[in-house]
Amino acid sequence: MKPEKEAFLKAKIMSQLFSIVSLGFLSTGDVSAVNMTIPHSLIRGTAGGEAVLSVCYSSVSLDLPVIKWQLQREKSITVVQSIGTDIIGTLRPEYRDRILVFENGTLLLHNLRFTDDGVYDVEISITDDTFTGEGSIVLTVDEPISRPYIHMESSSVLELSENVVLNCSHDNGTRVMYRWFKGGKPQSNETRFWLSPDQKLLTITRVLMADEDVYICTAENPVSNMTSLPLRLTVYRRSSLYIILSTGGIFVLIALVTICACWTPSKKRKDAQRKPLSRFSDLASQSTVSHRDDVLPKFREHNGINAVTSLYILQKKVCYSSLYFIKSI
């Protein structure tokens, strides 16, 4: 009989416990709460634009909800607090004329700033409801990217050159991610190709003829995506003639320019060339003839007999006659 009694008591206790738990669940079902849903937990915003932080709630109460938005920081910042759409108190200076609250609790931010970036917590409570609705939305604020361009020292390189760097640059944009394409195919880290940690720089450690191709870089962030103009890398084959022209030829050219710049004619050679002229000038200075008209060139006849022209003879006779006339006076 004892085992039967014990089994009966156990069944009675279990039924009582079940009824107590059931009553508990039924009682909690009568407790009202705000049920809130968030369609998008991540919102991408553009600087100067606007962002809609959407929420929806449901409640059995007909009272207006108390809505509170906060921005997570080391110490949370109250963005706005309202009863329905009526804002309570005074907004912070950075949020004045930039905020609008909708009846369903949605928050609209105008003229976005980079300081608006962060995690926003929302609470919606109603007086008759025991539990409030809570949720969080992440807002990012970025600047659109300007068109990137590829910068390098020279687009023409010599085969087997080392550490040729291609730099993907841009003027504007935040939170930028880069990608490289060679001949239209994505470029990744390989044996001779090395990408910097942010993938902004593409380095070819040792250039081969196969590296001659068209290179493109793309820059993207949460609000934009831009592609650079294509850049063609030209690779010249390293040959013996090219080496001579590019190395020895340069030194020969420098040597020739230096010689030409420093060369002056020899003084001895100049003196030797000028010496006959100086003899004529000495003879001219030793001449006793004072008038140019009295000096006439003499010529040797073809037969070897000395003679003078008729003009010289005439002039000589006139000279002797003049001397004779003077003496006679």
Side-chain angles (χ1 to χ4, degrees):
M1 295 293 292
K2 285 185 179 181
E4 294 178 357
K5 278 187 177 183
E6 290 178 358
F8 177 79
L9 289 175
K10 285 182 180 180
K12 190 175 181 179
I13 292 171
M14 291 297 293
S15 63
Q16 290 177 351
L17 288 175
F18 179 78
S19 60
I20 292 172
V21 172
S22 299
L23 288 172
F25 276 111
L26 290 173
S27 62
T28 55
D30 295 334
V31 176
S32 60
V34 176
N35 297 318
M36 186 172 60
T37 58
I38 298 176
H40 305 286
S41 59
L42 176 61
I43 305 297
R44 303 290 192 183
T46 303
E50 61 182 28
V52 179
L53 280 62
S54 298
V55 296
C56 296
Y57 79 93
S58 62
S59 173
V60 295
S61 175
L62 299 178
D63 293 340
L64 292 175
V66 176
I67 304 167
K68 183 178 181 180
W69 283 92
Q70 289 184 314
L71 176 60
Q72 288 185 10
R73 292 291 186 262
E74 292 183 2
K75 183 179 180 181
S76 295
I77 299 172
T78 299
V79 177
V80 64
Q81 190 169 3
S82 68
I83 299 176
T85 58
D86 296 330
I87 296 175
I88 303 172
T90 303
L91 293 174
R92 296 171 64 92
E94 62 268 29
Y95 293 117
R96 289 175 187 171
D97 302 323
R98 295 202 305 123
I99 282 181
L100 183 63
V101 180
F102 294 92
E103 292 181 355
N104 63 352
T106 295
L107 176 66
L108 173 64
L109 283 172
H110 290 286
N111 191 20
L112 288 177
R113 305 172 182 176
F114 293 117
T115 53
D116 295 332
D117 192 290
V119 179
Y120 289 78
D121 296 326
V122 57
E123 293 181 3
I124 299 178
S125 61
I126 298 177
T127 306
D128 293 341
D129 293 335
T130 305
F131 297 102
T132 62
E134 297 179 351
S136 298
I137 297 177
V138 178
L139 172 64
T140 62
V141 181
D142 291 285
E143 181 184 22
I145 302 171
S146 59
R147 186 167 198 168
Y149 54 91
I150 301 175
H151 173 75
M152 60 184 305
E153 293 184 359
S154 175
S155 59
S156 300
V157 297
L158 186 62
E159 183 187 18
L160 303 182
S161 298
E162 295 185 355
N163 296 327
V164 176
V165 180
L166 287 75
N167 184 359
C168 187
S169 302
H170 62 92
D171 297 326
N172 301 316
T174 55
R175 274 194 278 249
V176 183
M177 297 178 61
Y178 305 92
R179 288 193 301 168
W180 286 93
F181 295 85
K182 175 190 173 186
K185 298 179 180 179
Q187 188 64 49
S188 58
N189 284 318
E190 296 178 3
T191 305
R192 294 182 301 103
F193 288 84
W194 179 79
L195 293 170
S196 59
D198 59 358
Q199 297 192 357
K200 184 178 182 180
L201 302 179
L202 173 63
T203 303
I204 307 176
T205 57
R206 191 174 179 82
V207 180
L208 300 180
M209 294 300 299
D211 300 331
E212 180 171 297
D213 213 325
V214 175
Y215 291 80
I216 293 175
C217 75
T218 62
E220 60 183 68
N221 67 1
V223 296
S224 60
N225 187 342
M226 297 294 289
T227 303
S228 70
L229 293 174
L231 174 69
R232 182 168 190 84
L233 178 64
T234 303
V235 182
Y236 290 102
R237 189 175 299 279
R238 186 183 290 270
S239 62
S240 57
L241 177 61
Y242 190 91
I243 295 172
I244 293 172
L245 292 176
S246 61
T247 55
I250 294 175
F251 292 107
V252 170
L253 180 60
I254 293 173
L256 290 174
V257 171
T258 305
I259 292 172
C260 292
C262 300
W263 179 80
T264 55
S266 175
K267 292 184 178 181
K268 293 182 179 181
R269 190 171 183 180
K270 285 185 177 180
D271 295 337
Q273 291 177 354
R274 292 179 180 177
K275 191 171 182 181
L277 296 176
S278 62
R279 291 176 61 188
F280 282 114
S281 62
D282 294 337
L283 292 174
S285 62
Q286 293 176 5
S287 176
T288 57
V289 180
S290 59
H291 298 286
R292 182 178 57 84
D293 296 336
D294 295 337
V295 180
L296 293 173
K298 295 182 180 181
F299 296 91
R300 187 178 298 275
E301 289 185 351
H302 181 68
N303 295 329
I305 302 173
N306 290 333
V308 295
T309 62
S310 59
L311 179 60
Y312 186 85
I313 295 171
L314 177 61
Q315 191 170 6
K316 188 174 182 181
K317 287 181 179 182
V318 172
C319 183
Y320 286 149
S321 300
S322 301
L323 290 173
Y324 182 79
F325 176 75
I326 293 170
K327 286 180 180 180
S328 62
I329 295 174

